[in-house]
């Protein structure tokens, strides 16, 4: 993100995703998908995106600890659970598009594929996997917009 933009990149990405989705499925659909992205992206990720390969220089958040505990210590499953934060927004977007069950299926598939994207990124580019993982996950968000619209 350019240094001249304040805040986090997701503050700009969420409205852009919403605008693109609005072109595909209308303003309500775009607002729902943009909100789904924002809710999914805004929380803590640091310990989960490392998939156990590094320890960030800060302690794990309470949310990350709960997810790791729910996943019985499996950080891959915990990351998948974290990706499910998109579920409510995707269900809303799918309901607006007239396909509620597709929203549930899309969220479950997204969760698994996005967690897989991080694993693939770590294997392809261990020196800087996050850029690859975020590009793959961004492509998944684009696929969600097209599939649900």
């Amino acid at each position: 993100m350019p240094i001249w933009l304040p805040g986090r990149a997701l503050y700009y990405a969420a409205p852009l995703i919403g605008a693109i989705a609005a072109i595909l499925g209308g303003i309500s659909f775009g607002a729902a998908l943009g909100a789904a992205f924002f809710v999914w992206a805004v929380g803590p990720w640091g310990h989960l995106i490392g998939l156990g390969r590094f320890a960030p220089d800060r302690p794990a958040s309470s949310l990350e600890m709960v997810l790791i505990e729910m996943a019985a210590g499996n950080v891959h499953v915990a990351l998948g659970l974290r990706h499910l934060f998109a579920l409510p927004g995707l269900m809303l977007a799918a309901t607006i598009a007239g396909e509620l069950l597709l929203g549930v299926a899309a969220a479950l598939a997204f969760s698994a594929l996005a967690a897989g994207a991080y694993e693939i990124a770590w294997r392809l580019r261990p020196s800087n996997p996050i850029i690859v993982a975020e590009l793959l996950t961004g492509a998944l968000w684009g696929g969600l917009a097209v599939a649900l619209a």
Side-chain angles (χ1 to χ4, degrees), residues 94-107:
T95 299
I96 290 167
E99 296 288 343
L100 174 61
L101 291 179
L102 180 58
V104 173

Side-chain angles (χ1 to χ4, degrees), residues 10 14 29 32 47 50 57 63 72 79 90 96 105-106 108 110-111 121 123 129 145-146:
L10 74 101
F29 176 76
H47 287 266
D57 52 353
L63 174 62
L79 181 59
L90 293 177
I96 290 167
L108 293 173
F110 169 75
S111 175
R123 290 174 186 253
V146 171

Side-chain angles (χ1 to χ4, degrees), residues 58-122:
R58 63 162 181 76
S61 70
S62 299
L63 174 62
E64 291 169 306
M65 294 304 296
V66 166
L67 291 172
I68 291 168
E69 187 174 322
M70 287 174 61
N74 185 318
V75 73
H76 289 79
V77 173
L79 181 59
L81 292 172
R82 177 63 180 82
H83 284 302
L84 281 177
F85 279 43
L87 178 64
L90 293 177
M91 288 175 59
L92 178 60
T95 299
I96 290 167
E99 296 288 343
L100 174 61
L101 291 179
L102 180 58
V104 173
L108 293 173
F110 169 75
S111 175
L113 292 171
Y118 278 85
E119 179 60 35
I120 288 167
W122 273 101

